[in-house]
Amino acid sequence: MTGDALAQDPEELRKRIDSSRAHPARVYDVFLGGKDHYPADRDAAAAGLAANPRGYLDVRHNRDFLRRAVTAVAAEDGIRQFLDIGTGLPTSENVHQIAQRTHPDARVVYVDNDPVVLAHARALLVSSPEGRTDYLDADLRDPARILEEAAKTLDFDRPVALCLVAVLHFLPDEEAYAIVRELVGALPSGSRLILSHLTDDLNPESIRAVQRTYTDRGFTFVLRSHADVERFFTDNSLTLADPSVVPVHRWRPDHAAPVPNRPDAAYLAGLDDIEKIRYRDINDVTDADINIYGGLGVKA
């Protein structure tokens, strides 16, 4: 299936891309300093940044949480298989790069349904010689298909780390909890769930202002409480690893978030606020900046 997806006719792929409307994966790309987005995505990111000028810290620290969590389950727990749903556009570092640093034979399946992500998916498939990466052009709302196709690469008789990072807040309750239940139910004993989710518990005024900018653009954008986020683990009989569900910057911090090279002051002064994001050092984060929980669950 992955080969068929990547072999899709470029013209047909272009027809699937609606550049007139923002897409979450591409807005995320804007905040990560990427280049694979359209004016509508940039406008959505700019509106979010205007509503919360330090909102880029949610995105960047969410990505750094993923780095630490994948490192933890690979290095400490010996996990060698990963199913990353809602992958987004390739960035630095991707899950396979993190996991294969510890286990060169690690296998990773990426899943996303944005045709722009598909167009760039070959960048996700540069595996180590010993390991393997694949990409599924599929929707989180179709977990049965994801599991069926992922089983062509992953061995579901061995532990798998399921990554649902900053994706479930785009689904309403009636879908989100059922989908996680089906996905986790298919995982063998010893598997892990790496999950992060936006919340209005922490700094409600700033994140609700951001929420309005995205719902105005037609996104489903559900902010869930600490108890609601914990449910994704407890409803599925997962044991929460320390430090449980916490703001992402407080989940096993190692203070090793990459610091980008900064251009000279004159060049930086000529950039707009969106363009400046890629040069921000996120290590100056405070509790007042973060609106996203992260956690790691273990399946008995």
Side-chain angles (χ1 to χ4, degrees), residues 122-235:
R122 292 189 189 281
L124 297 170
L125 304 182
V126 185
S127 172
S128 67
E130 304 93 331
R132 181 173 172 184
T133 61
D134 274 322
Y135 178 85
L136 301 181
D137 180 23
D139 195 311
L140 176 58
R141 294 178 178 85
D142 192 357
R145 177 167 173 254
I146 289 172
L147 291 166
E148 179 183 0
E149 297 292 344
K152 297 175 182 178
T153 301
L154 306 178
D155 178 359
F156 280 90
D157 290 328
R158 296 169 51 228
V160 175
L162 170 64
C163 304
L164 295 171
V165 174
V167 66
L168 291 170
H169 43 251
F170 298 115
L171 296 176
D173 283 351
E174 62 271 18
E175 290 185 299
Y177 290 107
I179 287 168
V180 175
R181 183 166 58 249
E182 184 169 350
L183 290 168
V184 172
L187 302 180
S189 175
S191 292
R192 269 50 175 180
L193 172 62
I194 297 171
L195 183 148
S196 65
H197 198 296
L198 283 167
T199 183
D200 57 359
D201 282 355
L202 304 172
N203 301 290
E205 186 175 344
S206 62
I207 194 60
R208 288 172 188 164
V210 172
Q211 181 187 40
R212 286 191 293 272
T213 70
Y214 293 130
T215 55
D216 287 349
R217 287 164 169 80
F219 292 178
T220 299
F221 206 83
V222 183
L223 302 172
R224 293 187 170 97
S225 69
H226 188 273
D228 291 336
V229 175
E230 275 196 335
R231 275 189 57 198
F232 289 113
F233 300 95
T234 57
D235 282 7

Side-chain angles (χ1 to χ4, degrees), residues 17-31 36-48 113-116 170 213-220:
I17 298 172
D18 183 358
S19 61
S20 67
R21 297 184 61 185
H23 187 284
R26 302 193 304 259
V27 175
Y28 197 75
D29 180 66
V30 176
F31 281 114
D36 300 313
H37 50 262
Y38 296 97
D41 307 305
R42 191 180 178 88
D43 289 347
N113 70 333
D114 179 9
V116 174
F170 298 115
T213 70
Y214 293 130
T215 55
D216 287 349
R217 287 164 169 80
F219 292 178
T220 299

Side-chain angles (χ1 to χ4, degrees), residues 65-128:
F65 160 75
L66 176 65
R67 173 185 65 82
R68 300 192 307 277
V70 169
T71 299
V73 301
E76 298 171 18
D77 304 331
I79 302 295
R80 286 171 159 81
Q81 301 190 105
F82 296 81
L83 177 57
D84 182 7
I85 305 178
T87 299
L89 285 144
T91 187
S92 182
E93 293 179 295
N94 300 296
V95 169
H96 71 277
Q97 294 165 311
I98 302 167
Q100 290 177 352
R101 189 158 49 239
T102 300
H103 301 297
D105 62 343
R107 293 187 166 213
V108 179
V109 173
Y110 295 106
V111 183
D112 210 295
N113 70 333
D114 179 9
V116 174
V117 178
L118 173 57
H120 293 273
R122 292 189 189 281
L124 297 170
L125 304 182
V126 185
S127 172
S128 67

